[in-house]
């Protein structure tokens, strides 16, 4: 991997990590279309540490409050009903599915899940799911000719069951093309949460999973079949800077905008991949291996 490739892939990671379009799919597709070799799962996981650092800084006040209250609630019973203490436990509960499945499906994540036909399928399917979730949210928010607007749930109403469902949705993002934010936001919208609540919990829930994955993959970084360590770290730094700007934009965007542009983009990209593969222009394993 050259420094130029590292820069471009870091840029792609930062631009797509927080949007519901799948950063892992875009890293894979960028390599395939550019004629580069697949940077590998370790590269993806470590560059995600860069974007997740942007989350830690952007939500630093919320995170510090949640962590502090959660730790204090372990010895102070009066704090156990506090919203921040509950949020700490809900993030832990929601992180269980991706932790278990990440270990069980590691071989598939590193191999068969990176097939471009799989990515094309997940881009289209999850695009449709996001579109349905978005329309349901819009209907509740605006009401209609014969029905009143329906109030959607905030994070204060997040239950253990809903937190676990969020976690299952996040675990689906182990397959490139699904999108961590796309899956969790879709799940939140389908459960009746507001766009802002769904996105905020999605970002908070990703922190332990992404950091743990990145640390776990550090042992493979720079090894056989993986991108060089220095280039990987450089890409992570680029991803951090770009990712921070994208978070700020996205949180403002979702307050009053529809996800339909992302839905259309996902479906068009997925169909285009199917067409290119069927025509023989693009191999399902294009760019595979280092």
């Amino acid at each position: 991997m050259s420094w130029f490739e590292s820069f471009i892939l870091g840029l792609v990671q930062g631009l797509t990590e927080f949007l519901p379009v799948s950063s892992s799919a875009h890293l894979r597709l960028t390599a395939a279309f550019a004629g580069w070799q697949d940077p590998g799962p370790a590269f993806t996981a470590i560059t995600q540490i860069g974007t997740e650092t942007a989350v830690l800084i952007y939500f630093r006040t919320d995170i510090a409050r949640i962590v502090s209250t959660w730790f204090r609630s372990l010895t102070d019973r009066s704090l156990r009903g506090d919203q921040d203490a509950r949020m700490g436990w809900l993030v832990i509960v929601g992180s269980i599915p991706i932790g278990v499945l990440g270990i069980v499906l590691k071989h598939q994540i590193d191999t068969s899940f990176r097939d471009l036909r799989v990515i094309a399928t997940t881009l289209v399917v999850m695009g449709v799911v996001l579109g349905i979730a978005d329309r349901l949210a819009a209907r509740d928010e605006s009401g209609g000719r014969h029905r009143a607007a329906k109030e959607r749930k905030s994070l204060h109403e997040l239950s253990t069951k809903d937190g676990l469902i969020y976690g299952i949705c996040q675990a689906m993002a182990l397959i490139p093309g699904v999108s961590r934010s796309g899956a969790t936001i879709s799940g939140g919208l389908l459960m009746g949460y507001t766009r802002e609540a769904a996105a905020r919990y999605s970002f908070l829930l990703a922190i332990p999973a992404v950091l743990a994955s990145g640390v776990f993959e550090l042992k493979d970084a720079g090894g056989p079949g993986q991108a060089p360590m220095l280039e990987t770290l450089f890409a992570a730094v680029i991803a951090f800077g770009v990712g921070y700007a994208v978070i700020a934009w996205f949180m403002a965007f979702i307050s009053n905008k529809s996800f339909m542009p992302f839905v259309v983009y996902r479906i068009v990209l997925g169909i285009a991949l199917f067409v290119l593969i069927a025509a023989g222009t693009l191999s399902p394993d294009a760019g595979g291996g280092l």
Side-chain angles (χ1 to χ4, degrees), residues 209-233:
V210 171
L211 293 181
S213 174
V215 171
F216 180 77
E217 292 287 357
L218 275 173
K219 63 178 175 46
D220 295 328
Q226 302 295 335
M229 187 59 161
L230 286 178
E231 285 85 339
T232 298
L233 294 177

Side-chain angles (χ1 to χ4, degrees), residues 154-258:
S154 70
L155 284 185
H156 289 283
E157 300 169 82
L158 185 64
S159 64
T160 301
K161 181 190 75 173
D162 287 356
L164 189 58
I165 293 174
Y166 263 113
I168 294 171
C169 292
Q170 176 179 242
M172 294 169 60
L174 291 169
I175 305 174
V178 169
S179 169
R180 186 188 310 275
S181 64
T184 51
I185 289 173
S186 294
L189 294 179
L190 290 172
M191 287 188 289
Y193 288 88
T194 65
R195 299 171 193 273
E196 193 275 339
R200 185 172 289 268
Y201 185 63
S202 171
F203 289 156
L204 293 175
L205 184 61
I207 294 171
V210 171
L211 293 181
S213 174
V215 171
F216 180 77
E217 292 287 357
L218 275 173
K219 63 178 175 46
D220 295 328
Q226 302 295 335
M229 187 59 161
L230 286 178
E231 285 85 339
T232 298
L233 294 177
F234 175 65
V237 172
I238 298 299
F240 161 74
V242 177
Y244 189 89
V246 171
I247 294 175
W249 173 83
F250 188 62
M251 291 305 293
F253 175 87
I254 62 171
S255 62
N256 56 12
K257 295 290 193 303
S258 167

Side-chain angles (χ1 to χ4, degrees), residues 8 28 34 73 86 100 116 119 150 157 207 237 252 268 273:
I8 295 298
R28 179 78 178 84
S73 73
R86 288 185 65 253
V100 172
L116 295 184
I119 292 175
K150 179 181 178 181
E157 300 169 82
I207 294 171
V237 172
V268 169
L273 277 176

